[in-house]
Amino acid sequence: MPSSPLASVLFVCIHNAGRSQMAAGFLSHLAGDRIEARSAGSVPADQVNPAAVEAMREVGIDIADQQPKLLTTEAVQASDYVITMGCGDACPIFPGKKYLDWTLEDPAGKGVEAVRPIRDEIKKRIDALISEIDAQQEA
């Protein structure tokens, strides 16, 4: 096991209440300590979307204890990957970081039935991201 993470990934969406929280939850669950997962929002909500919490609970991941966090310049600077999910131009850009924009439907205001397909798409993208980070370490 490496003493420090292979990479640090910051997931960013507007409210840090749904998509970015689910993505960070999947990455933490699937990669463990190998990859650092963080999330933030340009205009954080008061709480994580209950439908996102329920959808993640269905796949054995508990994000109920998470709190939406404000996106900071420091968080971006400390990350190797910055994955945006609809934060527009609110995300600061720094050289040397890998930026990805994942176009995903916003789960805000939707029930768990509508959040499940968003959750499943996020998991597919997380699986691919982990493979990419692992491949870079082996190269």
Side-chain angles (χ1 to χ4, degrees):
M1 227 3 148
S3 58
S4 62
L6 298 175
S8 177
V9 180
L10 175 64
F11 297 99
V12 182
C13 66
I14 294 170
H15 300 296
N16 187 220
R19 296 166 289 189
S20 56
Q21 292 284 355
M22 289 190 287
F26 270 126
L27 185 58
S28 293
H29 180 77
L30 297 171
D33 293 339
R34 292 185 317 111
I35 303 170
E36 180 184 26
R38 293 180 288 134
S39 67
S42 52
V43 184
D46 293 331
Q47 67 178 18
V48 175
N49 180 336
V53 171
E54 179 58 30
M56 292 299 284
R57 189 173 285 134
E58 290 176 354
V59 295
I61 301 171
D62 185 6
I63 61 170
D65 64 341
Q66 296 301 307
Q67 273 301 121
K69 295 166 277 311
L70 180 64
L71 175 65
T72 64
T73 299
E74 294 77 21
V76 176
Q77 286 176 312
S79 302
D80 300 304
Y81 289 77
V82 179
I83 300 176
T84 59
M85 303 173 173
C87 74
D89 57 8
C91 300
I93 305 294
F94 293 98
K97 310 295 175 194
K98 178 154 187 176
Y99 291 88
L100 300 170
D101 185 38
W102 290 357
T103 304
L104 296 160
E105 188 178 345
D106 188 348
K110 295 179 171 46
V112 70
E113 302 80 22
V115 174
R116 286 183 188 120
I118 301 167
R119 173 202 64 201
D120 295 346
E121 179 60 27
I122 289 170
K123 179 173 184 306
K124 286 182 202 167
R125 293 179 190 214
I126 293 297
D127 287 338
L129 177 67
I130 292 170
S131 294
E132 177 183 325
I133 290 170
D134 285 343
Q136 287 182 352
Q137 296 306 311
E138 295 166 6

